């Protein structure tokens, strides 16, 4: 019985489970069975055109990279990380990959919504950069300065013992936070990095195969599972969820296994103990997308990239609300603040994942492209995230999402 429960719990730690449960939520919504939203698929063509418009502007040749943290390290056409990495004396490709895993993991965990007020002043350009881009450059500057390294001669690393004892004051200073420049959820981010450090130190068999314990050791764990030099993208997510899952704040667990970004909704049916559970794994999938390129640079072929799902976050979700594919049953809900575990937010996020799949099909049909030549990861980048931001600024001066979510800094 215990073994069966554990298998059921681990089944939720997968992209397949995210896609299946999101699809079920969409079916329920189309049948009129959701508490908070109705769905108008007739408006999806307009969404596809809006996404194509921003995509063509950003990528006129339609050569679109993956939606990944690496895009945010490019400022004014200059790839900051590539400049640093290409000048560094790596002993081999695996060493660079471990460093890139370190950077991606720490940077993604620090990226969970900055709020509308916060800005980061970039020392190189003098620009004040907000939101995800600002968080990215701030985290890159921290990494490059050796803030997470235990060796002053080797700044490009994140050591478990340094992360585990990271002072809140260090992040406060590095993010340039003040009363006039507040950042949402700082304590949650700092706690997440400390948890990461403690967890990595406790599992040297995963994270210290070729070096001192560091998050970048996950590269060696994933690389060891390659078959003929190939790694399926969903396997990256499975490794992230199973090996990093315990760092998340106490939420739901099943059979003693933490389920991460997974929430309850009574409409979701299953014939086992996972009934009523909706996995979304937004940050973990964002991280998994961001680990694809380091693996490719290290010489691995990453397959089944469309096996990952769209990201259940407020830009993609806002795209469908602002274009009125998703409509609130109670208009007053647009003015209220909603907890992450509320039924409204769970419905919104799950519907976002399912609608992104449908939107991707429409966009490919308009362009005559296949999933192989235009994967979902590129549509997100081109794409849905940018179009969600564009319509948010068109609708609201501060570019805030159409729904207010009370976040702890570890979901969005």
């Amino acid at each position: 019985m215990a073994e069966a429960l554990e298998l059921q719990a681990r089944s939720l730690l997968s992209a397949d489970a995210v896609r299946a449960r999101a699809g079920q939520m969409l079916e329920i919504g189309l049948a009129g069975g959701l508490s908070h939203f109705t769905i108008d698929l007739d408006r999806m063509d307009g969404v596809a055109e809006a996404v194509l418009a921003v995509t063509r502007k950003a990528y006129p040749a339609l050569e679109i990279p993956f939606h990944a943290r690496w895009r945010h390290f490019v400022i004014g056409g200059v790839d900051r990380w590539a400049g640093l990495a290409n000048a560094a004396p790596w002993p081999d490709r695996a060493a660079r990959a471990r460093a890139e895993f370190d950077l991606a993991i720490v940077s993604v965990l620090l990226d969970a919504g900055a709020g509308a007020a916060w800005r980061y002043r970039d020392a190189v350009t003098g620009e004040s950069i907000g939101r995800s881009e600002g968080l990215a450059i701030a985290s890159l500057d921290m990494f490059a300065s050796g803030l997470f390294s235990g060796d002053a001669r080797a700044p490009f690393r994140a050591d478990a013992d340094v992360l585990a004892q990271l002072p809140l004051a260090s992040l406060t200073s590095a993010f340039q936070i003040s009363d006039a420049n507040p950042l949402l959820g700082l304590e949650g981010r700092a706690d997440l990095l400390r948890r990461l450090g403690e967890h990595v130190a406790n599992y040297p068999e995963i994270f210290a195969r070729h070096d001192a314990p560091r998050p970048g050791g996950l590269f060696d764990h994933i690389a060891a599972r390659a078959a003929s030099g190939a790694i399926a993208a969903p396997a990256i997510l499975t490794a992230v969820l199973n090996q990093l899952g315990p760092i998340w704040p106490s939420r739901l667990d099943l059979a003693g296994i933490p389920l991460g970004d997974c929430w309850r909704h009574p409409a979701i049916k299953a014939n086992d103990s996972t009934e009523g559970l909706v996995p979304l794994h937004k940050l973990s999938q964002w991280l998994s997308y961001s680990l694809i390129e380091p693996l490719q640079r290290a010489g691995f072929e990453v397959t089944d990239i469309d096996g990952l799902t769209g990201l259940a976050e407020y830009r993609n979700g806002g795209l469908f609300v602002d274009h009125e594919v998703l409509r609130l049953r109670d208009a007053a809900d647009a003015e209220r603040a909603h907890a992450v575990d509320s039924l409204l937010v769970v419905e919104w996020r799950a519907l976002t994942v399912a609608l992104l799949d449908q939107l991707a099909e429409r966009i490919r049909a308009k362009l005559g492209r296949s999933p192989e030549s235009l994967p979902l990861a590129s549509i997100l980048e081109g794409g849905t995230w940018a179009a969600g931001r564009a319509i948010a600024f068109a609708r609201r001066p501060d570019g805030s999402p159409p729904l207010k979510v009370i976040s702890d800094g570890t979901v969005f």
Side-chain angles (χ1 to χ4, degrees), residues 145-157 159 161-162:
S145 73
L147 180 64
F148 309 116
S149 173
D151 183 350
R153 298 163 301 175
F156 297 167
R157 57 185 296 125
D159 286 296
D161 55 349
V162 175

Side-chain angles (χ1 to χ4, degrees), residues 2 15 23 32 74 123 153 159 173 196 213 259 279 281 288 306 347 355 360 405:
V74 180
R153 298 163 301 175
D159 286 296
S173 173
L196 173 67
L259 300 180
H281 305 314
S288 298
D306 259 21
E347 288 179 9
L355 289 170
V405 178

Side-chain angles (χ1 to χ4, degrees), residues 314-398:
Y314 67 85
R315 288 303 184 204
N316 288 321
L319 177 70
F320 297 114
V321 174
D322 279 334
H323 279 280
E324 298 181 29
V325 174
L326 296 178
R327 290 195 180 97
L328 291 166
R329 288 189 180 276
D330 182 355
D333 275 332
E335 305 306 317
R336 302 182 182 114
H338 306 276
V340 172
D341 64 352
S342 66
L343 295 188
L344 182 146
V345 173
V346 175
E347 288 179 9
W348 182 34
R349 297 182 71 208
L351 290 169
T352 296
V353 170
L355 289 170
L356 285 168
D357 276 345
Q358 295 217 354
L359 183 61
E361 291 178 7
R362 289 172 185 252
I363 289 170
R364 289 182 190 122
K366 287 175 179 289
L367 295 176
R369 301 282 284 271
S370 67
E372 291 73 28
S373 66
L374 188 64
L376 180 59
S378 296
I379 290 171
L380 294 173
E381 175 59 27
T384 61
W385 192 89
R389 175 183 274 187
I391 193 167
F393 275 98
R395 293 286 181 94
R396 292 166 295 280
D398 64 352

Side-chain angles (χ1 to χ4, degrees), residues 100-187:
E100 291 182 333
F101 267 54
D102 276 340
L103 173 56
I105 291 168
V106 169
S107 186
V108 166
L109 293 183
L110 288 171
D111 180 28
W118 179 81
R119 293 290 184 276
Y120 183 73
R121 184 170 178 78
D122 176 30
V124 176
T125 63
E127 288 183 55
S128 289
I129 310 168
R131 304 190 183 273
S132 273
E133 291 89 343
L135 292 170
I137 294 301
S139 66
L140 178 58
D141 286 349
M142 293 178 212
F143 187 75
S145 73
L147 180 64
F148 309 116
S149 173
D151 183 350
R153 298 163 301 175
F156 297 167
R157 57 185 296 125
D159 286 296
D161 55 349
V162 175
L163 292 171
Q165 299 174 50
L166 192 67
L168 184 65
S170 294
L171 283 184
T172 302
S173 173
F175 275 126
Q176 304 173 355
I177 296 169
S178 66
D179 289 343
N181 192 36
L183 177 67
L184 297 178
L186 179 68
E187 292 81 0

Side-chain angles (χ1 to χ4, degrees), residues 50-71:
V51 172
L52 281 171
V54 299
T55 301
R56 287 192 170 105
K57 184 175 180 181
Y59 301 100
L62 294 178
E63 294 175 358
I64 311 163
F66 299 147
H67 190 56
R69 194 52 161 166
W70 310 106
R71 308 291 82 77

